Each structure stands twice: as structure tokens, then as C-alpha cells.
Amino acid sequence: GGMSDSSPVPSDDEEPVTLPVDVPANRDRAFQLFVTRKEGRELHDKLTELTRKIKDTAPGLQELRRSMKTVQAELEVAQARIVALRAEAKQSDEAKSGSEAAEDVIIDEEEYLLMRSIKDYKKDFRKFREDYDAAKARKDDLASERSQVQGMLLDDFQ
């Protein structure tokens, strides 16, 4: 099964939020003093704020990944049920002679409802995927901005 019109659910590959500040150990103290001065402090505060914002995106992204996985599982169950119903119907067609059994009407109705459910699951999945992609793009923008601020902070410190 699976869905041909959507990419797979993203994995939990969220990178830990760290500040890779390239300051040799002997310059640690100088850096601490630098970030207490006005220009250093402003950049450092901005860096801290961006780091917090990036961290704040994690729960939303996790929730959207969970939603996509849930919908994908429901979709696969419905698709498997349709396959099973069609196999049963084929067997029953081969077994009976000419006369239609009332049971076939129920199977057709169930299959129809499953197909409608599948359509809804695919729509839900696409919506979750769009929301996820938008949230991920916002997170990536923040990470990019954080890298720029980090660079400015280091350049000013040098």
C-alpha cells in the first residue's frame, strides 16, 4: 500500500539545539566578558531568543508527524480491508450460480464507505503534510537566522 501522491512521514531527526561557539578554552573568559558588553549582549540575547524559538517548534513538528503516521496507518488498514473484501467477493462469485446473494450488497456498501474513508484520509494526510512542511520551513528559517547571528557574534568578538 502506501500513498503514491505523498512523500513518507518525516522521521524524528530533529537535531539538538546547541550553540557551537568556536571559542578556544583560553578565550572563554574573554567571550563571557564580551557578551556582557552592549553590542555583544544584544547579539547574544538574539541568539538565545532564536534558540528558544527553534526549540519551541519541536512539539508542533512532533505532533504533526504523529498525526501523519496515524492517518497513514488508518489508510493502510482501510486499503487492506478493501483487498480482503474484493477477494471474498471473487470467491463468492465463483462459488455461486447465477443468483445474487444479499450479502454482496453489504460488501459493496462497506467497500464504498471504505473508499470514501480513504479519500478523507488522503486529504487529511496532505493537510498535515502541508502544515508540517510550513512549520519545518519556519524552523529552518530560524536556524538560518541563528547561524547568521552566531557568525556576527564571533566576528565581533574576534
Side-chain angles (χ1 to χ4, degrees):
M3 295 172 358
S4 56
D5 62 336
S6 305
S7 35
V9 175
S11 64
D12 256 312
D13 64 349
E14 297 310 313
E15 59 283 340
V17 179
T18 55
L19 300 179
V21 178
D22 305 322
V23 181
N26 60 337
R27 296 173 73 194
D28 229 8
R29 181 75 187 124
F31 184 76
Q32 294 307 320
L33 290 170
F34 170 72
V35 297
T36 60
R37 294 207 318 273
K38 187 180 185 321
E39 69 275 21
R41 188 178 63 240
E42 284 172 3
L43 284 172
H44 192 264
D45 289 350
K46 188 162 177 62
L47 193 64
T48 303
E49 181 198 356
L50 286 166
T51 299
R52 182 191 53 75
K53 284 182 178 178
I54 290 167
K55 207 171 186 163
D56 289 349
T57 64
L61 287 169
Q62 280 177 334
E63 184 56 39
L64 287 165
R65 271 196 304 274
R66 262 196 302 275
S67 298
M68 282 190 280
K69 284 179 183 169
T70 300
V71 169
Q72 199 168 30
E74 289 168 345
L75 178 73
E76 287 167 5
V77 167
Q79 287 171 329
R81 181 66 187 136
I82 285 178
V83 169
L85 286 172
R86 287 178 182 165
E88 287 169 21
K90 189 173 184 233
Q91 274 186 332
S92 117
D93 281 351
E94 290 163 0
K96 70 173 180 262
S97 57
S99 68
E100 280 293 308
E103 189 185 17
D104 284 345
V105 175
I106 293 165
I107 287 175
D108 290 343
E109 185 180 353
E110 184 180 355
E111 187 174 335
Y112 170 74
L113 292 172
L114 284 165
M115 288 167 79
R116 273 186 40 190
S117 295
I118 285 172
K119 192 176 168 188
D120 290 341
Y121 291 144
K122 285 184 176 182
K123 196 173 94 185
D124 290 348
F125 185 93
R126 276 192 293 273
K127 176 75 175 98
F128 288 136
R129 183 71 212 208
E130 283 169 21
D131 291 350
Y132 176 86
D133 289 345
K136 185 80 169 92
R138 279 195 301 277
K139 180 189 174 190
D140 292 345
D141 289 347
L142 288 168
S144 168
E145 191 182 345
R146 183 181 68 182
S147 291
Q148 287 177 326
V149 171
Q150 239 172 8
M152 287 160 62
L153 191 60
L154 288 172
D155 288 350
D156 287 1
F157 175 60
Q158 300 305 340

